[in-house]
């Protein structure tokens, strides 16, 4: 059972005050029944709902606050509409009803170690029934407790409890559905985000294997040259270098194979551009929220297409957006705009921020391998895949290009141009024409 739903998750005393005021106001929706002064009010429906969704609160505190607030409201109404001689007795009756209600609830349900919906329903029936009998008995000095009234009060208590618990249980059920749906959605977003990062790393590991092979080849050539020059110690060292590099290559290949099998493109269905943008923007908002930043994300998309290589596109977008988040930092009224436009044969993606901008002298360097302007407090460079690798993905995977415009103090704009056919298709012939 949910003890702290978000809409009631305030400070304890704030929730008590809210409950007391709401029940007191609801008590004004009423009609007289059975005996003079006894009423059937909407407050008797709201009280079980508040108890159900505030099971972390001591019901005695909650009930006694209501027992004070509700009679005050009712007493004011009675002073305006009835003889003042009845105000005291009717007000005391209200206090007795709510006090008796929460005491029974406290004893029968709240102190239980194991609570469930069945026990809650039965407890509310008993609370409503006995509290009504006490109220009628007080107002009539026990004269109104006829068999007919006792039976009818039980029916009223049963009906009110059915309605109140049905509202509580249904709301709880739908709330769980929403929470689970949101959790699944966030887990899916997280998976796509992580998978994109892993897939991009695998991509660059594959490129590094070629460099490793070149090093291995050069080490073996050096080994042969040293052998011809009869330098055994140096030859042995060159051979060991070649051997170790060869082992590193095989370790790389094992990692690539394992991750490649898990993130096999054949098992990944294409994603629509709108879904990709939703995933990237939603996860970026989570990062912004976790850092307590004041940054607004604006997404503009006028292109409806599917992207088979969506992991690479997520990598491109996420890195550019994270660069924008870092550039804005603690600045107030930060904004990052992500715009996708159809440019005929190309798809243009623009990521614009109003952050600190990039110094003009650094602009020619930002796409160089290893370049970074971001350091942590210990002086280590933050290692994302970097703009150089973003550029590599843009060029190698989508035959595209990336440009940047920036003015220090005003912000930065990245323009990414991707070949539409390569972006929206996979494994097609050159003469095939595909449209978004």
């Amino acid at each position: 059972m949910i003890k702290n739903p978000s809409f009631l998750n305030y400070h304890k005393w704030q929730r008590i005050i809210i409950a007391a005021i709401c029940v007191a106001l609801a008590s004004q929706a009423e009609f007289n029944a059975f005996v003079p002064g006894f009423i059937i009010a909407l407050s008797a429906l709201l009280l079980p709902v508040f108890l159900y969704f505030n099971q972390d609160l001591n019901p005695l505190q909650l009930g006694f606050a209501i027992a004070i607030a509700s009679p005050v409201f009712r007493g004011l109404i009675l002073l305006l509409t009835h003889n003042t001689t009845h105000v005291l007795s009717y007000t005391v009756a209200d206090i007795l009803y709510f006090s008796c209600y929460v005491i029974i609830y406290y004893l029968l349900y709240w102190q239980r170690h194991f609570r469930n919906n069945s026990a809650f329903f039965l407890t509310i029936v008993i609370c409503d029934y006995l509290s009504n009998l006490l109220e009628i008995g007080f107002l009539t000095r026990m004269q109104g407790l006829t068999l007919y009234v006792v039976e009818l009060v039980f029916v009223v208590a049963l009906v009110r409890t059915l309605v109140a618990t049905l509202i509580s249980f249904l709301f709880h059920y739908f709330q769980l559905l929403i929470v689970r749906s949101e959790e699944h959605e966030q887990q899916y977003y997280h998976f796509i985000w992580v998978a994109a990062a892993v897939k991009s790393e695998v991509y660059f590991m594959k490129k590094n294997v070629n460099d490793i092979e070149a090093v291995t080849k050069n080490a073996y050539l050096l080994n042969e040259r040293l052998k011809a020059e009869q330098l055994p110690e140096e030859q042995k060292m060159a051979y060991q270098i070649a051997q170790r590099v060869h082992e590193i290559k095989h370790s790389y290949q094992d990692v690539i194979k394992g991750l490649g099998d898990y993130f096999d493109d054949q098992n990944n269905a294409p994603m629509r551009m709108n879904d990709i943008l939703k995933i990237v923007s939603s996860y970026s908002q989570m990062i912004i929220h976790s850092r307590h930043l004041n940054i607004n994300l604006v997404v503009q998309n006028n292109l409806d297409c599917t992207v088979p290589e969506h992991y690479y596109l997520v990598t491109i977008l996420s890195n550019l957006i994270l660069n924008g988040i870092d550039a804005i930092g603690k600045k107030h009224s930060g904004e990052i705009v992500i715009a996708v436009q159809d440019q005929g044969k190309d798809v243009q993606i623009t990521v614009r921020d109003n952050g600190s901008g990039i110094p003009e002298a650094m602009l020619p360097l930002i796409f160089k391998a290893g370049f970074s302007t971001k350091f942590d407090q210990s002086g280590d460079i933050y290692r994302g895949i970097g703009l150089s690798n973003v550029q590599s993905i843009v060029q190698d995977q989508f035959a595209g290009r990336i440009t940047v415009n920036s003015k220090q103090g005003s912000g930065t704009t990245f323009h990414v141009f991707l070949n539409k056919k390569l972006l929206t298709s996979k494994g097609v012939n050159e003469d095939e024409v595909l449209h978004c």
Side-chain angles (χ1 to χ4, degrees):
M1 299 176 70
I2 293 180
K3 295 183 178 181
N4 283 314
S6 58
F7 73 98
L8 286 176
N9 193 19
Y10 305 110
H11 189 272
K12 180 179 72 172
W13 291 108
Q14 288 178 312
R15 283 185 284 157
I16 289 175
I17 293 171
I18 290 172
I21 293 174
C22 289
V23 172
L25 291 174
S27 67
Q28 306 313 307
E30 61 185 40
F31 61 90
N32 292 316
F34 310 143
V35 299
F38 178 75
I39 60 172
I40 296 178
L42 183 60
S43 56
L45 292 177
L46 281 186
L47 180 55
V49 176
F50 275 104
L51 290 172
Y52 183 80
F53 287 110
N54 289 273
Q55 294 185 36
D56 60 316
L57 297 180
N58 188 318
L60 297 180
Q61 296 174 338
L62 181 61
F64 289 147
I66 296 172
I68 295 172
S70 182
V72 168
F73 277 83
R74 191 183 181 197
L76 291 175
I77 298 298
L78 289 172
L79 285 173
L80 296 174
T81 59
H82 291 73
N83 190 309
T84 56
T85 56
H86 297 296
V87 172
L88 181 60
S89 60
Y90 292 169
T91 301
V92 171
D94 246 13
I95 295 174
L96 287 175
Y97 173 83
F98 287 112
S99 299
C100 178
Y101 195 112
V102 295
I103 290 173
I104 296 173
Y105 178 84
Y106 175 83
L107 296 174
L108 295 184
Y109 183 79
W110 198 75
Q111 285 193 317
R112 291 168 58 98
H113 294 292
F114 178 74
R115 304 171 186 172
N116 55 37
N117 289 339
S118 298
F120 180 82
F121 174 80
L122 293 175
T123 302
I124 296 302
V125 172
I126 295 172
C127 291
D128 197 326
Y129 180 56
L130 295 182
S131 300
N132 280 333
L133 291 181
L134 176 62
E135 185 178 7
I136 293 173
F138 171 79
L139 290 171
T140 64
R141 298 183 180 181
M142 307 305 291
Q143 299 299 314
L145 293 177
T146 63
L147 180 60
Y148 171 76
V149 170
V150 170
E151 292 174 346
L152 200 56
V153 167
F154 178 77
V155 173
V156 171
L158 184 61
V159 171
R160 285 199 299 201
T161 302
L162 280 170
V163 174
T165 53
L166 184 63
I167 292 172
S168 301
F169 297 163
L170 285 177
F171 185 83
H172 181 205
Y173 174 75
F174 285 116
Q175 189 180 50
L176 285 177
L177 289 180
I178 293 172
V179 169
R180 288 171 182 169
S181 176
E182 290 177 348
E183 288 177 350
H184 290 161
E185 186 178 40
Q186 292 302 323
Q187 289 172 358
Y188 177 66
Y189 289 174
H190 181 70
F191 172 78
I192 295 295
W193 188 275
V194 172
V198 172
K199 195 168 180 65
S200 62
E201 294 293 346
V202 170
Y203 169 75
F204 292 111
M205 288 174 70
K206 288 180 179 178
K207 294 188 67 175
N208 290 339
V209 167
N210 295 328
D211 296 333
I212 293 173
E213 287 178 346
V215 173
T216 304
K217 181 180 178 180
N218 289 335
Y220 274 117
L221 291 174
L222 179 61
N223 169 68
E224 293 299 320
R225 182 177 297 178
L226 293 172
K227 181 179 179 180
E229 295 180 3
Q230 296 183 350
L231 297 171
E233 292 297 325
E234 289 80 356
Q235 176 196 353
K236 181 180 178 180
M237 185 179 299
Y239 178 78
Q240 289 175 342
I241 291 172
Q243 190 176 41
R244 291 295 298 158
V245 173
H246 188 69
E247 291 174 358
I248 292 172
K249 171 190 169 183
H250 279 296
S251 298
Y252 254 62
Q253 289 175 329
D254 289 341
V255 174
I256 291 170
K257 185 178 185 303
L259 294 176
D261 289 343
Y262 187 77
F263 295 102
D264 188 358
D265 291 338
Q266 295 179 354
N267 299 325
N268 298 315
M271 292 184 65
R272 302 207 68 80
M273 180 65 74
N274 279 335
D275 294 330
I276 294 171
L277 293 172
K278 182 179 180 182
I279 289 171
V280 172
S281 61
S282 296
Y283 207 79
S284 299
Q285 287 284 14
M286 291 173 58
I287 294 174
I288 291 170
H289 180 72
S290 67
R291 297 185 186 180
H292 307 289
L293 303 178
N294 181 23
I295 301 175
N296 182 41
L297 282 182
V298 180
V299 178
Q300 302 168 348
N301 177 34
N302 65 357
L303 189 66
D304 182 19
C305 64
T306 58
V307 180
E309 300 288 353
H310 52 81
Y311 286 133
Y312 292 128
L313 185 56
V314 169
T315 297
I316 294 168
L317 289 168
S318 62
N319 276 270
L320 296 180
I321 293 171
L322 289 177
N323 280 339
I325 293 173
D326 292 333
I328 294 172
K330 297 292 184 180
K331 177 181 178 180
H332 291 291
S333 302
E335 183 175 79
I336 298 175
V337 178
I338 306 103
V340 180
Q341 295 177 309
D342 188 346
Q343 297 289 348
K345 292 183 179 180
D346 291 331
V347 172
Q348 179 180 345
I349 299 174
T350 302
V351 179
R352 181 175 69 251
D353 68 72
N354 62 348
S356 58
I358 303 171
E360 186 175 353
M362 289 187 178
L363 284 176
L365 306 175
I366 63 172
F367 294 113
K368 300 292 184 182
F371 178 82
S372 177
T373 61
K374 294 176 284 185
F375 296 82
D376 63 15
Q377 293 179 350
S378 63
D380 292 331
I381 297 176
Y382 284 119
R383 300 287 185 182
I385 70 165
L387 287 173
S388 64
N389 289 335
V390 169
Q391 185 181 58
S392 294
I393 293 176
V394 169
Q395 294 173 346
D396 298 344
Q397 293 297 315
F398 303 112
R401 67 188 189 279
I402 179 171
T403 63
V404 58
N405 298 315
S406 185
K407 183 177 180 182
Q408 193 167 8
S410 299
T412 302
T413 302
F414 286 95
H415 297 288
V416 181
F417 299 88
L418 308 176
N419 181 278
K420 187 192 295 184
K421 182 160 68 172
L422 291 178
L423 178 68
T424 61
S425 62
K426 183 177 179 180
V428 298
N429 297 324
E430 290 296 326
D431 57 347
E432 290 182 283
V433 179
L434 300 177
H435 301 282
C436 286

